[in-house]
Amino acid sequence: MAKILFVMTGADQWTLADGSTHPTGFWAEEAVAPYEAFKAAGHEVTVATPGGVVPPVDEGSLSSDANGGPEQAARIRAVVETAPEFEAPIALTDVRLDDYAAVYVPGGHGPMEDLAVNADAGSILTRALGSGMPVGVVCHGPAALLAAVKEDGTNAYVGYRITAFTNTEEQLAGNAERAKWLLQDRLTQAGIKVEVGEPWTPHVEVDRTVVTGQNPASSAPLAAELLKKLA
């Protein structure tokens, strides 16, 4: 049995280019699918957020459309609302990384608001990489990698091959024109190699200890790959 640290957003609003805000949070499937996979494999999950706030769920991710129908939507909602780990997070500043065997970051637009500029999240992801610990990140979760900056000012993940929510997907979702910045662009500017798959289809990249998924459909396949690194 291993302990897996979920680094999750505490932001329930995403600031757009015109200064307005859009309701957000974490994307339910991206948290629930890996959570269930890790728990089923016998592992423990601890959630950590900025300030130890309860991670807000993006209500859009609980809709029937987002989950392939009302039955699955109800099941996902039930996990979000009853899983004790989501209800009682610790603060990122209280994380003792040596206690964990892997780090996982789910997406949603929330991480673009807070984790992308959170030094504590960045430090955790930098130290995890340096120690050889498996790191899993999905969809907009890779925004947190932008904060993983070393003392010399370079990104810790420079040269790593990852995937993330793409410019095309952001455009198809109707958010690209409203966003302050696009995740694929920022990651590329940081020196990280972003591999692009077909929109909305499962796409996972594995580079050394780093496992990334492009979109919500990639979260379950990502969890399976991360579990292989804990075997």
Side-chain angles (χ1 to χ4, degrees), residues 3 20 33 36 40 47-48 67 99 105 117 133 158 161 181 185 192 200 208 214 223:
K3 293 181 70 175
S20 65
E36 292 185 319
V47 172
N67 291 285
D99 292 342
V105 188
V117 293
M133 182 180 297
V158 165
R161 187 185 71 254
W181 48 272
D185 290 346
I192 304 171
W200 316 123
R208 290 159 277 181
Q214 180 172 312

Side-chain angles (χ1 to χ4, degrees), residues 34-207:
Y35 170 82
E36 292 185 319
F38 299 152
K39 295 283 281 189
H43 301 308
E44 290 185 19
V45 169
T46 296
V47 172
T49 64
V53 302
V54 173
V57 65
D58 187 319
E59 285 295 326
S61 71
L62 297 175
S63 69
S64 293
D65 288 346
N67 291 285
E71 185 175 329
Q72 177 69 353
R75 195 187 71 77
I76 292 288
R77 179 183 288 275
V79 177
V80 168
E81 294 181 348
T82 62
E85 294 89 348
F86 297 143
E87 295 177 349
I90 64 172
L92 291 173
T93 51
D94 292 335
V95 170
R96 290 167 43 103
L97 195 59
D98 290 345
D99 292 342
Y100 301 95
V103 176
Y104 174 67
V105 188
H109 283 108
M112 293 180 69
E113 185 75 17
D114 60 356
L115 298 185
V117 293
N118 187 284
D120 297 315
S123 175
I124 288 169
L125 289 165
T126 300
R127 288 183 289 137
L129 186 70
S131 69
M133 182 180 297
V135 176
V137 196
V138 73
C139 201
H140 289 92
L145 301 181
L146 296 172
V149 179
K150 299 188 292 186
E151 291 184 4
D152 64 3
T154 62
N155 193 284
Y157 290 77
V158 165
Y160 273 78
R161 187 185 71 254
I162 72 161
T163 188
F165 202 69
T166 65
N167 289 355
T168 298
E169 286 170 317
E170 204 72 85
Q171 289 161 359
L172 291 171
N175 295 313
E177 297 302 320
R178 303 189 301 155
K180 281 185 177 181
W181 48 272
L182 298 179
L183 181 57
Q184 181 184 335
D185 290 346
R186 278 286 178 90
L187 292 167
T188 301
Q189 291 163 8
I192 304 171
K193 300 176 181 177
V194 182
E195 299 291 337
V196 175
E198 290 297 316
W200 316 123
T201 61
H203 174 209
V204 174
E205 291 286 339
V206 181
D207 187 352

